[in-house]
């Protein structure tokens, strides 16, 4: 068996984007799962985008995340150099480009910018440039004369214009394109540097890369790569094109969103282990729906065949939750060292910082959460110990202090902690996990989809054909399929979803919006009342007002209270959330296939010109069923996450409100104690 070799080949253009980090992680997991080699290659041929210090960022990121490379610029194992500019200086790329020229698979192009501009035209509403191969017709003598004269030139690959090219991707399956759609891509630029596409092919072959992992934006380039491989007679690697990563609005994750890079996330208080764990789940999920993994555990369970086609949404709220789980499990000394700068931001007096760190470790999701939780320490007043001396009760400072310490030890700093009392989020998650199991076992028949054994989509032309499975546009075909599937598949799960929602709303969420004897607030009010009673017994009941020991405190967030009580937060709207996510996912997949992989080609000119209709794709009915079912499962997964986070956030708001009200109540009672002299 051939040893698996993968590579991570970043360009040094700044901080490492989350998408690049995922590519590195998946490449690492694929090869380490099989005991292979992980190679680092620096692709710096784009000198205009080069950023000073970016190479150091790459090394630093890989070291912090644990994605340690077996080979690279600093670990030459016989396949170096591992920096493309150094390989270019050795003439590696020019050598292979000239070989293609000699074979007749490439040619010199001397066209100037003005000539290339004249080749642009509009197809399907988009301006495209298709090179017309005019320099391919130059004689050898003419080419040599212009080379000797020092004319600026590039080297282009001679793509075929007839037939088709089919390539296989592990995630997207077999994809076929018409060769007439393949442009004669540039191999060597006029400055002597190779293009990204050409350098990748050459380097991957020479470094014996077996699996190429990259984003799905490179799917359209794969047929061009394969033509180069075939021209040399080289083996084509296994392609793994990962799905797009979007933000919460389903737009491509951009640098402007504030958390698009690894170092952005570190700056925001996220720990490296949590980031890696979360990034691994952006497009892949284990068979058992487990979410928390160490890097070593990911190596053991990762199967790249289970990577999803649909876009992965970068949910910052989900990452915050996961980060909180890692912080809770962090070694106490390590947490203290990392938390100390945040504590010192707001605490200027001499405190026991280790004790405070222990109090907040289970209550935060990121380190910047700390200041807001502990700033009240600076407002705590000093008390005269003489207030605890009472002749009738025969108490002095020493005896009172001992009793008070014993009583107060029973009163926690925070009244209600979601982490220590009822872990709402975990409980809700267990309920909603049943939905995922339901979706996984969902039986959908071929008749549930409007697509037959095959159908075609004709675009930009008058409707042609009489087949009832032939659609005027891709949107019409998509609508037909979604409509049929929605009317049948959803009917199987609506009632089950509502049962789950009702169950956890009544049993899990209700204690946080109810005021009966079982509510979390009533239970804790009684505990506080018992402590106040103990204090009056210590000092003397006659010294206090009649209602001193009474505690009748509840949250004051009326709007949230009513929303939870009415089921507006976690109720029937879950169905619509699932449908929205499903329809987006299915739509995105088909739009991608329709518009990105196939183009309309115009033939001829003038009075003899004609347009040719293009059959976009043929779709097997069972494959359509499987694809839609997968989209539905993903939709339930995302909706489940949304509903869990929403419920948790609102309940947490009520708890915070209660704690604030309770503190105000106790402050008044403390003032009453202080008046007793």
């Amino acid at each position: 068996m051939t040893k698996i070799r993968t590579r991570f080949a970043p360009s040094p253009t700044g901080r490492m984007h989350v998408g690049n980090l995922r590519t590195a992680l998946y490449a690492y997991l694929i090869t380490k799962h099989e005991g292979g080699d992980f190679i680092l290659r620096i692709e710096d041929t784009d000198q205009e985008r080069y950023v000073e210090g970016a190479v150091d960022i790459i090394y630093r990121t890989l070291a912090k995340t644990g994605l340690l490379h077996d080979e690279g610029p600093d670990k030459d194992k016989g396949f170096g150099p591992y920096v493309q500019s150094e390989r270019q200086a050795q003439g590696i790329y020019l050598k292979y480009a000239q070989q293609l020229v000699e074979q007749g698979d490439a040619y010199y192009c001397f066209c100037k910018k003005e000539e290339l501009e004249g080749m642009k035209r509009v197809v399907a509403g988009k301006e495209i440039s298709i090179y017309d191969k005019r320099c391919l017709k130059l004689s050898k003598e003419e080419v040599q004369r212009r080379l000797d004269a020092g004319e600026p030139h590039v080297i282009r690959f001679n793509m075929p214009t007839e037939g088709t090219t089919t390539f296989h991707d592990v995630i997207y399956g077999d994809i076929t394109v018409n060769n007439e759609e393949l442009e004669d891509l540039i191999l060597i630029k006029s400055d002597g540097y190779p293009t990204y596409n050409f350098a990748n092919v050459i380097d991957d072959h020479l470094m014996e890369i077996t699996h190429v992992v990259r984003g799905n934006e490179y799917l359209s380039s794969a047929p061009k790569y394969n033509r180069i491989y075939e021209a040399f007679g080289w083996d084509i690697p296994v392609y793994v094109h990962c799905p797009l990563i979007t933000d919460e609005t389903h737009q491509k994750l951009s640098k402007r969103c504030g958390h698009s890079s690894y170092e952005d996330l570190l700056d925001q208080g996220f720990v490296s282990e949590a980031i890696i764990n979360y990034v691994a789940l952006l497009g892949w999920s284990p068979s058992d729906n487990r979410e928390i993994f160490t890097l070593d555990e990911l190596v053991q369970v990762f199967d790249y065949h289970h990577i999803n086609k649909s876009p992965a949404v970068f949910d910052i709220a989900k990452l915050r939750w996961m980060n909180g789980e890692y912080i809770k499990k962090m070694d106490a000394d390590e947490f203290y060292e990392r938390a100390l700068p945040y504590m010192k931001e707001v605490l200027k007096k001499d405190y026991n910082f280790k004790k405070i760190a222990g109090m907040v470790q289970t209550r935060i999701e990121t380190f910047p959460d700390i200041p807001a939780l502990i700033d009240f320490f600076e407002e705590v007043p000093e008390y005269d110990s003489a207030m605890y001396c009472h002749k009738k009760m025969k108490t002095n400072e020493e005896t009172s202090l001992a009793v008070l310490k014993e009583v107060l030890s029973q009163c926690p700093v925070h009244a209600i902690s979601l982490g220590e009392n009822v872990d709402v989020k975990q409980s809700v998650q267990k309920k909603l996990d049943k939905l995922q199991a339901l979706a996984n076992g969902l039986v959908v028949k071929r008749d549930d989809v409007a697509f037959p054994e095959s159908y075609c989509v004709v675009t930009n032309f008058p409707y042609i054909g009489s087949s009832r499975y032939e659609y005027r546009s891709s949107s019409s075909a998509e609508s037909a399929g979604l409509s049929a599937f929605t009317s049948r598949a959803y009917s199987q799960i609506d009632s089950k979803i509502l049962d789950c929602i009702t169950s956890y709303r009544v049993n899990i969420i209700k204690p946080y919006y109810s005021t009966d004897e079982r509510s979390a607030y009533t239970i804790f009010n009684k505990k506080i009342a018992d402590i106040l009673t103990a204090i009056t017994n210590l000092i003397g009941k006659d010294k206090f007002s009649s209602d001193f020991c009474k505690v009748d405190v509840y949250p004051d967030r009326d709007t949230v209270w009513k929303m939870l009580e009415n089921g507006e937060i976690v109720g029937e709207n879950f169905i619509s959330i699932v449908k929205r996510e499903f329809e987006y996912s299915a739509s995105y997949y088909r739009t991608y296939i329709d518009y990105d992989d196939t183009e309309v080609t115009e033939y001829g000119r003038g009075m003899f010109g004609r347009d040719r209709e293009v059959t976009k794709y043929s779709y097997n009915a069972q494959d359509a069923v499987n694809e839609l079912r997968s989209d539905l499962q993903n939709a339930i997964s995302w909706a489940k996450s949304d509903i869990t986070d929403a419920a948790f956030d609102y309940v947490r708001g009520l708890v915070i409100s209660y704690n604030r009200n309770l503190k105000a109540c106790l402050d008044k009672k403390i003032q009453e104690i202080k008046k007793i002299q």
Side-chain angles (χ1 to χ4, degrees):
M1 181 177 175
T2 305
K3 188 176 186 180
I4 289 181
R5 289 170 61 85
T6 63
R7 49 72 168 172
F8 176 49
S11 298
T13 57
R15 289 189 163 189
M16 188 178 294
H17 189 274
V18 168
N20 289 339
L21 179 60
R22 185 185 64 175
T23 298
L25 175 60
Y26 283 7
Y28 177 88
L29 295 175
I30 288 172
T31 196
K32 292 304 173 184
H33 185 75
E34 300 293 339
D37 294 327
F38 177 57
I39 293 92
L40 172 64
R41 188 172 74 223
I42 305 298
E43 300 192 340
D44 62 345
T45 55
D46 190 347
Q47 296 294 300
E48 292 182 358
R49 297 179 62 216
Y50 180 84
V51 174
E52 194 68 36
V55 174
D56 293 334
I57 292 176
I58 294 169
Y59 280 110
R60 187 164 63 244
T61 301
L62 294 179
K64 285 183 178 180
T65 56
L67 306 181
L68 304 179
H69 52 283
D70 301 293
E71 298 176 28
D74 57 338
K75 300 177 183 177
D76 195 329
K77 298 289 182 68
F79 293 91
Y82 295 84
V83 179
Q84 282 190 341
S85 59
E86 296 177 13
R87 297 173 68 82
Q88 189 271 339
Q90 293 184 3
I92 293 175
Y93 307 114
L94 183 59
K95 167 190 168 186
Y96 283 98
Q98 289 173 337
Q99 179 182 332
L100 291 175
V101 172
E102 293 170 2
Q103 294 175 189
D105 292 307
Y107 59 95
Y108 293 98
C109 175
F110 301 89
C111 290
K112 296 179 173 57
K113 183 178 180 180
E114 295 77 16
E115 293 179 88
L116 297 174
E117 287 288 332
M119 300 178 193
K120 289 183 177 180
R121 54 182 171 168
V122 176
V123 176
K126 294 193 305 184
E127 186 178 70
I128 62 173
S129 180
I130 300 177
Y131 187 67
D132 60 9
K133 296 180 180 283
R134 65 181 60 179
C135 286
L136 179 62
K137 302 172 185 177
L138 297 175
S139 66
K140 289 185 178 180
E141 294 78 15
E142 177 67 9
V143 169
Q144 192 60 52
R145 183 188 66 78
R146 300 176 78 166
L147 290 174
D148 293 340
E151 281 192 39
H153 62 275
V154 301
I155 298 179
R156 289 183 181 272
F157 189 82
N158 184 22
M159 289 290 179
T161 57
E162 297 179 351
T164 61
T165 295
T166 299
F167 71 96
H168 182 76
D169 180 81
V170 171
I171 300 171
Y172 292 89
D174 290 332
I175 298 176
T176 300
V177 298
N178 293 322
N179 289 337
E180 61 198 11
E181 300 170 11
L182 304 178
E183 62 177 334
D184 286 2
L185 69 130
I186 295 174
L187 307 179
I188 303 294
K189 296 179 289 186
S190 58
D191 60 3
Y193 275 83
T195 58
Y196 173 86
N197 294 327
F198 185 56
N200 260 271
V201 171
I202 301 301
D203 289 343
D204 285 344
H205 171 74
L206 296 180
M207 294 182 179
E208 299 180 4
I209 302 302
T210 62
H211 292 62
V212 172
V213 184
R214 57 190 174 211
N216 67 6
E217 64 268 26
Y218 294 103
L219 264 175
S220 59
S221 300
K224 305 170 189 176
Y225 297 154
N226 287 4
R227 283 295 175 182
I228 298 175
Y229 278 110
E230 291 169 357
F232 285 116
W234 296 341
D235 291 336
I236 297 172
V238 176
Y239 289 127
V240 184
H241 287 91
C242 305
L244 180 71
I245 300 176
T246 73
D247 58 21
E248 291 89 342
T249 65
H250 301 301
Q251 301 299 312
K252 185 177 181 181
L253 191 66
S254 71
K255 295 179 179 179
R256 295 185 295 275
C257 74
H259 48 257
S260 65
S261 80
Y262 172 74
E263 294 198 336
D264 286 339
L265 296 172
L266 290 181
D267 293 342
Q268 294 167 26
F270 293 96
V271 301
S272 186
E273 296 83 357
I275 297 172
I276 285 294
N277 190 160
Y278 183 71
V279 168
L281 302 177
L282 289 175
W284 170 85
S285 60
S287 57
D288 58 357
N289 291 320
R290 178 183 169 189
E291 292 188 303
I292 305 299
F293 294 91
T294 65
L295 182 59
D296 288 340
E297 289 170 339
L298 284 171
V299 169
Q300 295 301 314
V301 303
F302 189 80
D303 183 353
Y304 63 90
H305 297 90
H306 291 171
I307 297 175
N308 218 311
K309 299 183 179 122
S310 301
V313 179
F314 191 97
D315 185 350
I316 194 68
K318 182 70 172 292
L319 175 56
R320 283 182 58 86
W321 165 80
M322 184 173 288
N323 199 68
E325 296 300 301
Y326 273 88
I327 287 177
K328 290 175 185 176
K329 298 175 182 178
M330 192 176 290
D331 176 78
D333 290 336
E334 181 186 354
F335 177 80
Y336 168 72
E337 292 297 328
R338 298 188 63 168
L340 188 59
Y342 297 94
M343 292 189 288
K344 288 188 173 183
E345 283 183 16
V346 294
L347 301 183
K348 308 303 179 183
K349 299 178 182 177
D350 187 20
Y351 295 101
N352 186 333
F353 286 101
K354 276 202 170 183
K355 191 171 184 178
I356 295 173
M359 292 160 51
V360 302
Q361 184 171 356
T362 60
R363 295 174 169 85
I364 64 169
E365 292 182 330
T366 65
F367 286 99
D369 296 343
I370 293 175
L373 286 179
I374 64 173
D375 57 358
F376 70 90
F377 278 107
E378 292 288 302
E379 302 172 6
V380 177
E382 299 291 337
Y383 296 101
D384 186 353
S385 60
M387 65 182 288
Y388 300 112
C389 299
H390 194 270
K391 292 181 179 179
K392 187 176 180 179
M393 301 293 296
K394 297 181 179 180
T395 57
N396 54 37
E397 291 186 16
E398 287 74 21
T399 57
S400 296
L401 182 61
V403 178
L404 282 172
K405 283 183 176 180
E406 182 179 351
V407 173
L408 292 175
S409 66
Q410 303 174 38
C411 187
V413 176
H414 294 285
I416 299 176
S417 168
L418 294 179
E420 293 181 357
N421 286 270
V422 179
D423 191 339
V424 177
K425 193 165 187 177
Q426 185 178 11
S427 300
V428 172
Q429 191 73 34
K430 287 180 180 178
K431 290 287 183 182
L432 291 174
D433 281 344
K434 295 180 180 179
L435 296 181
Q436 195 69 55
L438 181 69
N440 292 340
L442 187 64
V443 178
V444 184
K445 300 177 182 178
R446 285 169 44 155
D447 294 340
D448 291 338
V449 183
F451 310 131
E453 284 297 331
S454 65
Y455 73 95
C456 68
V457 178
V458 179
T459 187
N460 296 321
F461 303 100
Y463 182 61
I464 302 172
S466 59
S467 171
R468 63 191 180 99
Y469 299 122
E470 198 167 289
Y471 298 91
R472 185 186 297 271
S473 67
S474 61
S475 60
S476 299
E478 178 189 312
S479 297
L482 290 176
S483 175
F485 194 75
T486 298
S487 63
R488 293 176 174 89
Y490 284 133
S491 63
Q492 300 183 49
I493 62 172
D494 278 7
S495 61
K496 297 287 186 180
I497 290 176
L498 292 179
D499 286 345
C500 286
I501 296 297
T502 301
S503 176
Y504 84 73
R505 187 171 71 215
V506 172
N507 299 320
I508 306 301
I509 306 297
K510 186 177 179 180
Y512 291 91
Y513 68 79
S514 113
T515 59
D516 60 25
E517 70 277 0
R518 295 181 299 170
S519 77
Y521 318 116
T522 302
I523 294 171
F524 208 88
N525 286 347
K526 187 178 183 306
K527 290 182 180 180
I528 298 297
D530 291 342
I531 291 174
L532 295 175
T533 300
I535 291 175
T536 61
N537 291 335
L538 176 66
I539 300 177
K541 293 183 179 180
D542 58 317
K543 302 295 183 180
F544 297 91
S545 60
S546 58
D547 63 346
F548 178 80
C549 296
K550 295 181 180 179
V551 182
D552 190 23
V553 178
Y554 294 93
D556 58 8
R557 300 187 68 189
D558 292 339
T559 302
V560 175
W561 194 286
K562 291 176 182 177
M563 291 176 77
L564 281 170
E565 191 172 18
N566 296 333
E568 296 176 23
I569 305 298
V570 290
E572 288 73 7
N573 65 332
F574 183 82
I575 301 293
S576 63
I577 295 174
V578 172
K579 289 184 177 181
R580 182 197 68 206
E581 293 291 339
F582 169 67
E583 290 174 4
Y584 167 76
S585 178
S587 174
Y588 184 91
Y589 173 76
R590 284 174 180 75
T591 300
Y592 179 83
I593 295 294
D594 289 350
Y595 297 114
D596 288 1
D597 281 358
T598 308
E599 298 176 356
V600 176
T601 303
E602 181 181 340
Y603 290 83
R605 293 184 180 178
M607 63 181 296
F608 300 104
R610 62 187 179 91
D611 293 336
R612 177 186 177 201
E613 74 261 24
V614 176
T615 300
K616 289 295 191 81
Y617 55 84
S618 294
Y619 215 103
N620 178 274
Q622 190 57 54
D623 289 342
V625 169
N626 294 337
E627 189 62 45
L628 289 167
R629 179 167 54 205
S630 175
D631 287 336
L632 179 62
Q633 292 170 357
N634 293 330
I636 290 177
S637 179
W638 283 114
K640 182 174 67 175
S641 176
D642 288 347
I643 209 73
T644 303
D645 291 341
F648 184 72
D649 287 343
Y650 280 105
V651 167
R652 180 168 55 187
L654 292 176
V655 169
I656 292 172
S657 174
Y658 170 72
N659 286 334
R660 182 176 63 247
N661 295 346
L662 181 63
K663 183 179 181 299
C665 172
L666 292 178
D667 284 343
K668 291 180 180 179
K669 296 183 184 296
I670 290 171
Q671 293 302 319
E672 191 170 340
I673 295 174
K674 289 177 67 176
K675 293 177 182 178
I676 302 172
Q677 302 290 338

